[in-house]
Amino acid sequence: MIIDMHVHCGIAEPFYMPNSMVEEMIEKYNIDHVILSDIRACENTQELTPVPEDIALPQNQVFRETIAFASKHPGKIYVMPWIKPTTDGVDDEFISIIENNKDIVKGLKLHAHNSMLRSDSPLLEPYYELAAKYSLPVLIHTGGIEEASAIYVYNAAKSHPDVNFIMGHLGLGTNNIEAIDLVSKLPNLYGDTAWVPIQSVLYFIEKCGDDRLLFGSDSPIDGLDTYVRNGKGEPSLYLQYFNDLKGLISEESYDKIMYKNSARLFNI
Ligand SMILES: [Zn+2]
């Protein structure tokens, strides 16, 4: 069984991930459940300049459309709306989409790098209130720029003990050690495996145990075959999760990372 809790869809320069690609990926790689965030709700371009107004899509519109796609695959595709705290924020419509789709909405996703926003920013308080009220874990991209540092996710988790936080990537572009050390300090902090080498999984288990690491991939960010090939055509590190990790940790730890921890955390 595999639950991939960090999957994307959407077409936004330079990424091409139509919904059909997500469907094909799930089928081809036998993924049992995915949690999806639509990148079309990004607030900034890859160059970190605001998405031009004539092409920017409202947070709630993207949320509704992602729900509409997921609802064609009940019990298979779930949704974490990509939030736009600096341009849109929480309003009645956002709340009612969550309220009306409790069986599909499994969390909230903040891209701290793209939004250029610290996870402990006051702008996020209304989202964290909702996360507490509806028991929605908050997935936050870590790494890339100062605002997306792991320490700010730690701060947010520390001041919101009633919300579970997930450090996406465990500090992308780092050796993961600082992020893992921070995760070890709080029971409501988790990590995902998106672009995390398996040596860091071993360190994670040593420092934090095996209950708070979740398989996630960013797939299909490098195309349909992200699980086997990266954007440069090299073997993907996820092959190591499917092939090598089994021999390095206990079967129980492996199952927890690949699906059991997500099943528990997201109530899947
Ligand atoms: Zn991602």
Side-chain angles (χ1 to χ4, degrees), residues 39-75:
I39 61 163
R40 294 177 305 147
C42 56
E43 292 175 309
N44 293 297
T45 65
Q46 282 295 99
E47 291 73 39
L48 298 182
T49 55
V51 174
E53 255 175 55
D54 55 325
I55 55 166
L57 294 172
Q59 162 189 277
N60 296 349
Q61 179 190 331
V62 175
F63 190 8
R64 274 189 270 107
E65 290 175 4
T66 322
I67 296 267
F69 170 54
S71 59
K72 291 187 203 151
H73 303 276

Coordinates of all heavy atoms in Angstrom, one line a residue, residues 39-75:
I39 N -1.1 23.7 -8.1 CA -0.1 24.8 -8.2 C -0.6 26.1 -8.8 O 0.1 27.1 -8.7 CB 1.2 24.4 -8.9 CG1 0.9 24.0 -10.3 CG2 1.9 23.2 -8.2 CD1 2.2 23.9 -11.2
R40 N -1.7 26.0 -9.4 CA -2.3 27.2 -10.1 C -2.6 28.3 -9.1 O -2.9 29.5 -9.4 CB -3.5 26.9 -10.9 CG -3.1 26.0 -12.1 CD -4.4 25.7 -12.9 NE -5.4 25.1 -12.0 CZ -6.7 25.2 -12.2 NH1 -7.2 25.9 -13.2 NH2 -7.5 24.6 -11.3
A41 N -2.6 27.9 -7.8 CA -2.9 29.0 -6.7 C -1.6 29.6 -6.3 O -1.6 30.3 -5.2 CB -3.6 28.3 -5.6
C42 N -0.5 29.5 -7.0 CA 0.7 30.1 -6.5 C 0.6 31.6 -6.6 O -0.1 32.2 -7.5 CB 1.9 29.6 -7.4 SG 1.8 29.9 -9.1
E43 N 1.2 32.3 -5.6 CA 1.1 33.8 -5.6 C 2.1 34.5 -6.4 O 2.0 35.6 -6.8 CB 1.2 34.2 -4.1 CG 0.0 33.7 -3.3 CD 0.1 34.0 -1.8 OE1 1.1 33.7 -1.2 OE2 -0.9 34.6 -1.3
N44 N 3.3 33.7 -6.6 CA 4.4 34.3 -7.3 C 4.8 33.4 -8.4 O 4.6 32.2 -8.4 CB 5.5 34.6 -6.4 CG 5.2 35.7 -5.4 OD1 4.9 36.9 -5.8 ND2 5.1 35.4 -4.1
T45 N 5.6 34.0 -9.3 CA 6.2 33.2 -10.4 C 7.4 32.5 -9.9 O 7.8 32.7 -8.7 CB 6.6 34.1 -11.6 OG1 7.7 34.9 -11.1 CG2 5.5 34.9 -12.1
Q46 N 8.0 31.6 -10.7 CA 9.3 31.0 -10.3 C 10.4 32.0 -10.0 O 11.2 31.8 -9.2 CB 9.8 30.1 -11.5 CG 9.1 28.8 -11.7 CD 9.4 27.9 -10.5 OE1 8.5 27.8 -9.6 NE2 10.5 27.2 -10.4
E47 N 10.3 33.2 -10.6 CA 11.3 34.3 -10.3 C 10.9 35.1 -9.1 O 11.5 36.1 -8.7 CB 11.4 35.2 -11.5 CG 12.1 34.6 -12.7 CD 11.2 33.6 -13.4 OE1 9.9 33.8 -13.5 OE2 11.7 32.5 -13.9
L48 N 9.8 34.6 -8.4 CA 9.3 35.3 -7.2 C 8.8 36.7 -7.4 O 9.0 37.6 -6.6 CB 10.3 35.3 -6.0 CG 10.7 33.8 -5.6 CD1 11.7 33.9 -4.4 CD2 9.5 33.0 -5.2
T49 N 8.3 36.9 -8.6 CA 7.5 38.2 -8.9 C 6.1 37.8 -8.9 O 5.7 36.7 -9.2 CB 7.9 38.8 -10.2 OG1 7.7 37.8 -11.2 CG2 9.4 39.2 -10.3
P50 N 5.2 38.8 -8.5 CA 3.8 38.4 -8.4 C 3.2 37.9 -9.7 O 3.6 38.4 -10.8 CB 3.1 39.8 -8.1 CG 4.2 40.6 -7.4 CD 5.5 40.2 -8.1
V51 N 2.4 36.9 -9.6 CA 1.7 36.4 -10.9 C 0.9 37.5 -11.4 O 0.1 38.1 -10.7 CB 0.9 35.2 -10.5 CG1 0.1 34.7 -11.7 CG2 1.7 34.0 -10.0
P52 N 1.0 37.9 -12.7 CA 0.3 39.0 -13.2 C -1.2 38.8 -13.0 O -1.7 37.7 -13.1 CB 0.6 38.9 -14.7 CG 1.9 38.2 -14.8 CD 1.9 37.2 -13.7
E53 N -1.9 39.9 -12.7 CA -3.3 39.9 -12.3 C -4.2 39.2 -13.3 O -5.1 38.6 -13.0 CB -3.8 41.3 -12.0 CG -4.0 41.6 -10.5 CD -4.4 43.0 -10.3 OE1 -5.4 43.4 -10.9 OE2 -3.6 43.7 -9.5
D54 N -3.8 39.4 -14.6 CA -4.7 38.9 -15.7 C -4.6 37.3 -15.8 O -5.5 36.7 -16.3 CB -4.4 39.5 -17.0 CG -3.0 39.4 -17.4 OD1 -2.1 39.5 -16.5 OD2 -2.7 39.2 -18.6
I55 N -3.6 36.7 -15.2 CA -3.6 35.3 -15.2 C -3.7 34.6 -13.8 O -3.8 33.4 -13.7 CB -2.3 34.7 -15.9 CG1 -1.0 35.2 -15.4 CG2 -2.4 35.0 -17.4 CD1 0.2 34.5 -15.9
A56 N -3.5 35.5 -12.7 CA -3.6 34.9 -11.4 C -5.1 34.4 -11.1 O -6.0 35.0 -11.6 CB -3.3 36.0 -10.4
L57 N -5.1 33.2 -10.5 CA -6.4 32.6 -10.2 C -6.7 32.7 -8.7 O -5.8 32.5 -7.9 CB -6.4 31.1 -10.6 CG -6.3 30.8 -12.1 CD1 -6.1 29.3 -12.3 CD2 -7.5 31.3 -12.8
P58 N -8.0 33.0 -8.4 CA -8.3 33.2 -6.9 C -8.1 31.8 -6.2 O -8.4 30.8 -6.8 CB -9.8 33.6 -6.9 CG -10.1 34.1 -8.3 CD -9.1 33.4 -9.2
Q59 N -7.7 31.9 -5.0 CA -7.5 30.7 -4.1 C -8.7 29.8 -4.1 O -8.7 28.6 -4.3 CB -7.2 31.2 -2.7 CG -7.3 30.2 -1.6 CD -7.2 30.9 -0.2 OE1 -6.1 31.1 0.3 NE2 -8.3 31.3 0.4
N60 N -9.9 30.5 -3.9 CA -11.1 29.7 -3.8 C -11.6 29.0 -5.1 O -12.1 27.9 -5.0 CB -12.3 30.5 -3.2 CG -12.0 31.1 -1.8 OD1 -11.0 30.6 -1.2 ND2 -12.8 32.0 -1.4
Q61 N -11.3 29.7 -6.2 CA -11.7 29.0 -7.5 C -10.8 27.8 -7.7 O -11.3 26.7 -8.1 CB -11.4 30.0 -8.6 CG -11.7 29.4 -10.0 CD -11.2 30.3 -11.1 OE1 -11.2 31.6 -11.0 NE2 -10.9 29.7 -12.2
V62 N -9.5 27.9 -7.4 CA -8.6 26.8 -7.6 C -9.0 25.6 -6.7 O -9.1 24.5 -7.0 CB -7.2 27.2 -7.4 CG1 -6.3 25.9 -7.5 CG2 -6.8 28.2 -8.4
F63 N -9.4 26.0 -5.4 CA -9.8 25.0 -4.4 C -11.1 24.3 -4.9 O -11.1 23.1 -4.9 CB -10.1 25.8 -3.1 CG -10.4 25.0 -1.9 CD1 -10.2 23.6 -1.9 CD2 -10.8 25.6 -0.7 CE1 -10.4 22.8 -0.7 CE2 -11.0 24.8 0.5 CZ -10.8 23.5 0.4
R64 N -12.1 25.0 -5.4 CA -13.3 24.4 -5.9 C -13.0 23.5 -7.0 O -13.6 22.4 -7.1 CB -14.3 25.5 -6.4 CG -15.2 26.0 -5.2 CD -16.3 26.9 -5.8 NE -15.9 28.3 -5.8 CZ -15.6 29.0 -7.0 NH1 -15.7 28.4 -8.1 NH2 -15.3 30.2 -6.9
E65 N -12.1 23.9 -8.0 CA -11.9 23.1 -9.1 C -11.1 21.8 -8.7 O -11.3 20.7 -9.3 CB -11.1 23.9 -10.2 CG -12.0 24.9 -10.8 CD -11.3 25.9 -11.8 OE1 -10.1 25.7 -12.1 OE2 -12.0 26.8 -12.3
T66 N -10.2 21.9 -7.8 CA -9.4 20.7 -7.3 C -10.4 19.7 -6.6 O -10.3 18.5 -6.8 CB -8.3 21.1 -6.3 OG1 -7.7 22.3 -6.7 CG2 -7.3 20.0 -6.3
I67 N -11.3 20.3 -5.9 CA -12.4 19.4 -5.2 C -13.2 18.7 -6.3 O -13.5 17.5 -6.2 CB -13.3 20.3 -4.4 CG1 -12.6 20.9 -3.2 CG2 -14.5 19.4 -3.9 CD1 -12.6 20.1 -1.9
A68 N -13.6 19.5 -7.4 CA -14.4 18.9 -8.4 C -13.6 17.7 -9.1 O -14.2 16.7 -9.4 CB -14.8 19.9 -9.5
F69 N -12.4 17.9 -9.3 CA -11.5 16.8 -9.9 C -11.5 15.6 -8.9 O -11.7 14.5 -9.3 CB -10.1 17.3 -10.2 CG -9.2 16.2 -10.6 CD1 -9.5 15.3 -11.6 CD2 -7.9 16.1 -10.0 CE1 -8.5 14.3 -12.0 CE2 -7.0 15.1 -10.3 CZ -7.3 14.2 -11.3
A70 N -11.1 15.9 -7.7 CA -11.0 14.8 -6.7 C -12.3 14.0 -6.5 O -12.3 12.8 -6.3 CB -10.5 15.4 -5.3
S71 N -13.4 14.7 -6.6 CA -14.7 14.1 -6.3 C -15.0 13.1 -7.4 O -15.9 12.2 -7.2 CB -15.8 15.1 -6.1 OG -15.9 15.9 -7.2
K72 N -14.3 13.1 -8.5 CA -14.5 12.0 -9.5 C -13.8 10.7 -9.1 O -13.9 9.7 -9.8 CB -13.9 12.5 -10.9 CG -14.7 13.6 -11.5 CD -14.1 13.8 -12.9 CE -14.3 15.2 -13.4 NZ -13.3 15.7 -14.3
H73 N -12.9 10.8 -8.1 CA -12.1 9.7 -7.6 C -12.3 9.5 -6.1 O -11.3 9.6 -5.4 CB -10.7 9.8 -8.0 CG -10.4 10.1 -9.5 ND1 -10.3 9.0 -10.4 CD2 -10.4 11.2 -10.2 CE1 -10.2 9.5 -11.6 NE2 -10.2 10.8 -11.5
P74 N -13.5 9.3 -5.7 CA -13.7 9.2 -4.2 C -12.9 8.1 -3.5 O -12.8 7.0 -4.1 CB -15.2 8.9 -4.1 CG -15.7 8.4 -5.4 CD -14.7 9.0 -6.4
G75 N -12.3 8.5 -2.4 CA -11.5 7.5 -1.7 C -10.1 7.3 -2.3 O -9.3 6.5 -1.7

